[in-house]
Amino acid sequence: MREAFEANFERGEELGARFSLVHGGETLVDLWAGFADRQRTKPFDDKTLTTIFSSTKAIAALLIARLVDAGKLDYGQTVASVWPEFAANGKAAITVEQAMSHQAGLCGFPDPMEPSLWFDWDAICAKLAAMAPLWPPGTASGYHPVTFGYIAGEIFRRVDGRTMGAALRQDLAVPFELDLWIGLPDSEHDRAADMQRPNGPAKFGVINEATRAAFLTPWSSAGGRGQAEWRRTEIPSANGHATALALARLFGALANDGWLDGEVILSPSLIAEASRERIHGPDLVLPFEMSWGAGFMRNSAVKVWGQGEQTFGHSGWGGSCIFADPQTGLAGAYVMNRQSTDLLGDHRPKALIEAAYGSL
């Protein structure tokens, strides 16, 4: 694995990166190298935080699963049962599990808006509640790159009373000493790595209305407020900050019957329920056949984390990923600050994961 990690740097494909692998609560591998800044003056070290983009969705999915485990929410109930305004424009029957598996038809906003509106939680949730779905809900998945976080986060807030970022810190990050954040306070910004954007555009294949709304409009993601404001804003689909080790330890629990440092953070039955398939087929936004659990990408459709059929997790824009494999008990995470154009299955972590399984 170390050789595979070094090879990524030798080919000039990395700026800074970290890969961590855990099993049964034990850290098997923890590798980091490179630089945290584009000027290559600041080493990428074990304290460096990286933006994990859509890998944040896996954390949001876990937080929703914990509500279900506690009996406060059911995947089969409607979103409108906890968020009445959401019923508008034909969305009354959309269930929590449909929303969590990208079936709600709310992948982005087709009509123009100011990109800075994404910094206004209540305004975005009001737009989502009023919006008509872009396709009949429940008939297909269509990846919700940014809106997922507001839908899942508002469901969570309506049930729990806290934001996802606050609950993550209070219930998991602080008690288990996990360097994880959704909404990064100013005091931590100096630890955050610079992101080096890809050299070219991602390949979406045939562009349709859903893909355009999700990714390809000037307002499809937050803008206009600067990087510091973006880091401190809670967007549970897109701007989590973490170390690879913290992510691997968290998902190590999901590969180990829920056990983390002597406590169960999610029951084995809920791990199975949260990760079981809700829909499988061609995605309307991503150019892939996808298998979705309740917020988790499943390995059964596109083998991005080894060959395990039960493996689940999430990938993030530019290459980050987090996964749990209940069959072997392995979990791992890869973070980096040089982004690639791969939408799924970035070859850099894929080589590391293949080396991991090859060494078993």
Side-chain angles (χ1 to χ4, degrees), residues 78-326:
T78 64
V79 175
S81 66
V82 300
W83 181 2
E85 302 91 328
F86 190 83
N89 259 319
K91 303 194 300 300
I94 296 174
T95 62
V96 172
E97 62 187 349
Q98 286 175 330
M100 295 297 291
S101 54
H102 301 268
Q103 298 184 65
L106 307 174
C107 59
F109 298 113
D111 298 325
M113 71 177 201
E114 288 296 323
S116 61
L117 195 65
W118 290 104
F119 294 99
D120 186 334
W121 182 272
D122 290 338
I124 292 294
C125 288
K127 282 181 68 69
L128 288 167
M131 181 179 169
L134 297 181
W135 63 86
T139 62
S141 73
Y143 184 55
H144 292 43
V146 184
T147 55
F148 175 94
Y150 293 83
I151 297 169
E154 185 65 4
I155 292 169
F156 187 91
R157 189 184 70 83
R158 297 269 177 146
V159 174
D160 182 87
R162 297 174 294 172
T163 66
M164 280 188 159
L168 173 64
R169 294 299 302 166
Q170 293 165 14
D171 299 347
L172 295 170
V174 173
F176 296 102
E177 298 183 344
L178 301 173
D179 210 350
L180 299 173
W181 311 79
I182 300 175
L184 191 68
D186 290 2
S187 60
E188 309 299 323
H189 286 200
D190 286 346
R191 296 199 290 134
D194 294 342
M195 301 305 295
Q196 184 175 329
R197 298 297 178 91
N199 293 327
K203 296 178 176 63
F204 289 100
V206 177
I207 305 300
N208 56 34
E209 181 188 13
T211 306
R212 188 174 294 107
F215 281 109
L216 301 176
T217 68
W219 58 88
S220 61
S221 60
R225 294 279 187 89
Q227 185 180 73
E229 182 66 16
W230 183 81
R231 290 195 192 279
R232 69 173 70 99
T233 300
E234 289 190 27
I235 306 177
S237 49
N239 78 335
H241 288 74
T243 65
L245 182 59
L247 293 169
R249 288 187 60 219
L250 181 65
F251 265 58
L254 304 189
N256 187 38
D257 291 334
W259 288 94
L260 179 61
D261 294 351
E263 295 185 38
V264 174
I265 65 167
L266 194 65
S267 69
S269 62
L270 239 298
I271 295 171
E273 175 63 11
S275 61
R276 77 169 173 83
E277 186 171 87
R278 277 14 185 241
I279 191 166
H280 186 154
D283 194 84
L284 297 181
V285 172
L286 296 174
F288 306 111
E289 180 177 306
M290 298 295 297
S291 173
W292 290 106
F296 297 114
M297 288 181 174
R298 290 166 38 85
N299 208 38
S300 57
V302 182
K303 293 291 192 297
V304 291
W305 310 297
Q307 296 300 312
E309 291 288 329
Q310 296 179 24
T311 304
F312 62 93
H314 219 287
S315 295
W317 180 50
S320 70
C321 67
I322 174 176
F323 70 92
D325 179 356

